Amino acid sequence: MMVDWCRDNKIHGIFDEIYANSVYGNDEFNSVTRVTGNDMGDYVHALFGMSKDFGLSGYRIGFIYTQNKELMSAINMQSYFCAISCQTQTTIGGLLSDAPFIDSFIKENNEKLKHLSTKLLGELQAGGIRCVVPSAGFFIFLNLSELMEEDTVESEKKLWMSLFNESKVLFTPGFACHSQENGWFRCCFAAVDEDAMMEGCRRIIDFVNARRRH
């Protein structure tokens, strides 16, 4: 297990759990705190934030859970210069203390994410576009390598800009996500309403079909 490897080699393992409550597939999320039985030690740390699961990116709030006392001391000294305002802490503290609301919010949010991802995935696959089926988060990875002139990052960049300039659809290209293969793009389905998402999907498919004909 990765946790054991980090401890054995005295390498810090930082587990980003920022999408921990945005899980809607068949897989269950297990926090590293649960995996370790809350025995994190000095080399295992967990990160979380309010920007994804709760849609509060403008609040700029993040958390680190660690049992490393030296790290906690360093963070405490640094946080003096970038502290979250008292008003914001009070607001978020009240929000997180309302357990019935949190449970209801997460349940409804995941139902909506599942609905949107399933609908978008079905339309893209019906258009012959290869996708990675998501089980969490806000994104679908789709492959448009068939439209690339060459199997290079430059060709991927060219296709990325063509899609934006011609169809006004903006993806995150694979190279920005450190993809090991060229031609993958990250599509966010949670940033707009369903009608706008389906309009974007129509433009993607029209763009792909036009390129296939040529």
Side-chain angles (χ1 to χ4, degrees):
M1 188 169 63
M2 186 179 294
V3 167
D4 296 326
W5 183 86
C6 290
R7 288 169 171 168
D8 292 342
N9 293 278
K10 296 184 177 181
I11 293 176
H12 291 275
I14 303 172
F15 294 81
D16 187 354
E17 301 186 354
I18 199 165
Y19 291 103
N21 295 303
S22 297
V23 180
Y24 44 83
N26 296 323
D27 299 323
E28 180 182 356
F29 173 77
N30 281 314
S31 171
V32 68
T33 59
R34 183 184 300 173
V35 171
T36 61
N38 201 32
D39 181 18
M40 308 276 278
D42 286 338
Y43 293 97
V44 179
H45 321 281
L47 300 180
F48 183 69
M50 301 296 292
S51 62
K52 306 301 182 184
D53 290 341
F54 293 94
L56 296 173
S57 56
Y59 278 56
R60 317 308 294 172
I61 296 177
F63 310 89
I64 179 168
Y65 183 74
T66 180
Q67 295 172 349
N68 185 314
K69 292 183 179 180
E70 290 187 17
L71 178 59
M72 284 191 280
S73 177
I75 292 173
N76 283 337
M77 288 187 288
Q78 184 184 37
S79 64
Y80 181 83
F81 300 99
C82 54
I84 300 169
S85 71
C86 294
Q87 294 89 339
T88 302
Q89 291 186 53
T90 300
T91 300
I92 298 304
L95 172 67
L96 295 178
S97 298
D98 189 346
F101 168 77
I102 294 296
D103 291 341
S104 174
F105 176 84
I106 291 174
K107 181 177 182 294
E108 182 178 354
N109 188 52
N110 287 340
E111 289 173 352
K112 290 181 177 180
L113 289 174
K114 183 175 182 178
H115 169 73
L116 292 174
S117 65
T118 300
K119 189 163 187 178
L120 179 60
L121 182 68
E123 293 292 329
L124 292 173
Q125 290 179 332
I129 299 174
R130 184 158 57 101
C131 303
V132 175
V133 179
S135 61
F138 311 151
F139 311 104
I140 287 180
F141 276 86
L142 53 102
N143 189 289
L144 300 178
S145 58
E146 64 173 293
L147 307 180
M148 290 167 50
E149 298 172 355
E150 300 175 332
D151 185 17
T152 63
V153 172
E154 289 304 317
S155 184
E156 179 181 282
K157 289 181 179 179
K158 184 177 179 181
L159 178 60
W160 171 47
M161 292 308 301
S162 294
L163 181 60
F164 174 68
N165 291 326
E166 296 175 26
S167 301
K168 300 299 183 279
V169 174
L170 183 62
F171 289 148
T172 301
F175 70 83
C177 303
H178 305 284
S179 174
Q180 296 181 354
E181 298 178 3
N182 298 316
W184 287 95
F185 296 85
R186 189 184 74 171
C187 174
C188 178
F189 56 81
V192 295
D193 62 31
E194 186 172 342
D195 289 340
M197 181 191 76
M198 295 309 298
E199 171 62 22
C201 182
R202 181 192 65 78
R203 295 184 187 188
I204 295 166
I205 293 173
D206 287 348
F207 176 88
V208 171
N209 288 335
R211 289 297 179 102
R212 283 171 176 166
R213 287 193 294 267
H214 291 86

